[in-house]
Amino acid sequence: MQTNGKIVVGNWKMNFLLTDVKDFLQSCLSCFSRHPSRITIGLAVPYVYLPEVEKLLHSENSFTNVYAGAQDCSVFYPSGPYTGEVSALMLASLNAGFVIIGHSERRKFFSESHPMLKNKITNALQAGLHVIYCIGETADERTQNLHFQTIEKQLEEVLSGMRFPSGALTIAYEPVWAIGTGIHASARQAAEMHTFIKEKLKTLNISVKSDDIPVIYGGSCTPENASELFSTPGVDGGLIGGASLKADSFCKILKTMASLL
Ligand code: PGA
């Protein structure tokens, strides 16, 4: 995935049957073909749909700057006796453009630890995949004023010392209390956290310039609040869950981003 401006990624999570995938993409065709090249669009789809989405985007159509990607990859690499796992190299062989790593649902439901996430990121980079690394504090952590500390730890313990080629990393700030709740971060909350993340990235020894790492926002981003969130300083785009499941709302969000360029 090449990122040279703003990024909007739909995270389908565990949704859609194959027929829904086809319907969704058919409904998005005209909006994808009209989007300005300075917006990179990603669709983070369940593994099983990658070939179909890839075919619709790049064989049956030839969208540039629209990428199919995955929501996770295995901690193991590149192959072996790990029943049920999908390696980063397998994703690359399907032309996945990127992979999401460290989503809070994976941290919560699959007990993904920082050493595991570090491994997954290493594997993704080895396979040549762009990484969208998700970080975010819980409601409790924010109430106790520990949110900056949490974010710092999630950045430091996982990314520190890794060698990222230029353009291989995006950070998604997704406060856990905002995911799927209908409550989004305020512009002030997003601005101060995105600024903090960008400053923190400068201090990590990760070989890539922090200015080359987009920081996108996720958590109840909708057509109604996209303009406010996307025009917040430090917000380079969005990771969209629920609102990415309906073609019209996802396209409205893309249109909002285009209107702000
Ligand atoms: P949401 O999910 O937009 O439904 O809050 C965002 C995400 O989990 O990436």
Side-chain angles (χ1 to χ4, degrees), residues 1 3-9 38-42 130 132 170 214 216 230 236-239 257:
M1 177 155 108
T3 57
N4 62 345
K6 302 290 183 183
I7 309 173
V8 179
V9 178
R38 282 173 54 221
I39 303 178
T40 298
I41 302 173
H130 181 99
I132 300 179
T170 293
I216 62 177
F230 293 166
D236 300 312
L239 182 53
M257 179 58 95

Side-chain angles (χ1 to χ4, degrees), residues 4-257:
N4 62 345
K6 302 290 183 183
I7 309 173
V8 179
V9 178
N11 177 9
W12 290 0
K13 308 192 181 185
M14 197 178 75
N15 288 295
F16 284 168
L17 298 179
L18 185 57
T19 48
D20 306 318
V21 171
K22 292 179 183 175
D23 290 348
F24 176 91
L25 288 170
Q26 280 306 324
S27 310
C28 287
L29 291 183
S30 66
C31 108
F32 285 178
S33 55
R34 281 198 313 262
H35 86 283
S37 61
R38 282 173 54 221
I39 303 178
T40 298
I41 302 173
L43 296 174
V45 308
Y47 294 137
V48 288
Y49 299 140
L50 266 172
E52 183 65 26
V53 175
E54 180 53 30
K55 183 177 82 182
L56 279 156
L57 294 178
H58 299 133
S59 302
E60 294 181 9
N61 295 280
S62 45
F63 293 120
T64 49
N65 275 0
V66 186
Y67 297 88
Q71 302 166 14
D72 184 34
C73 67
S74 179
V75 75
F76 299 108
Y77 189 87
S79 57
Y82 308 110
T83 303
E85 287 292 272
V86 174
S87 81
L89 192 61
M90 293 172 180
L91 298 176
S93 79
L94 293 176
N95 295 325
F98 67 93
V99 58
I100 294 177
I101 292 178
H103 191 282
S104 66
E105 285 151 14
R106 300 226 43 103
R107 293 178 191 256
K108 178 175 170 198
F109 298 121
F110 303 93
S111 309
E112 294 196 350
S113 63
H114 285 168
M116 284 168 78
L117 298 180
K118 211 174 173 71
N119 261 337
K120 289 185 178 208
I121 293 176
T122 305
N123 297 345
L125 291 180
Q126 204 169 337
L129 295 172
H130 181 99
V131 171
I132 300 179
Y133 175 53
C134 297
I135 54 178
E137 81 283 359
T138 61
D140 277 355
E141 285 162 341
R142 186 164 275 271
T143 315
Q144 293 169 47
N145 214 21
L146 294 173
H147 43 300
F148 292 115
Q149 226 168 295
T150 299
I151 295 299
E152 187 164 33
K153 209 166 156 203
Q154 291 174 339
L155 289 171
E156 248 169 26
E157 290 187 4
V158 175
L159 301 184
S160 190
M162 297 190 84
R163 318 309 295 163
F164 284 95
S166 174
L169 176 65
T170 293
I171 302 292
Y173 170 56
E174 297 205 304
V176 179
W177 47 268
I179 296 177
T181 58
I183 303 165
H184 63 94
S186 66
R188 189 188 57 76
Q189 288 169 325
E192 68 176 9
M193 190 55 92
H194 281 238
T195 306
F196 177 79
I197 291 167
K198 285 176 187 254
E199 284 305 309
K200 187 71 212 166
L201 287 170
K202 288 186 191 156
T203 70
L204 299 177
N205 172 23
I206 52 174
S207 77
V208 61
K209 281 211 313 271
S210 56
D211 290 350
D212 292 339
I213 306 173
V215 182
I216 62 177
Y217 170 83
S220 296
C221 182
T222 62
E224 291 70 40
N225 59 35
S227 177
E228 178 193 357
L229 287 165
F230 293 166
S231 48
T232 298
V235 175
D236 300 312
L239 182 53
I240 322 294
S244 76
L245 296 175
K246 292 222 166 65
D248 67 330
S249 59
F250 190 56
C251 289
K252 273 186 195 152
I253 290 174
L254 292 172
K255 221 165 144 190
T256 301
M257 179 58 95

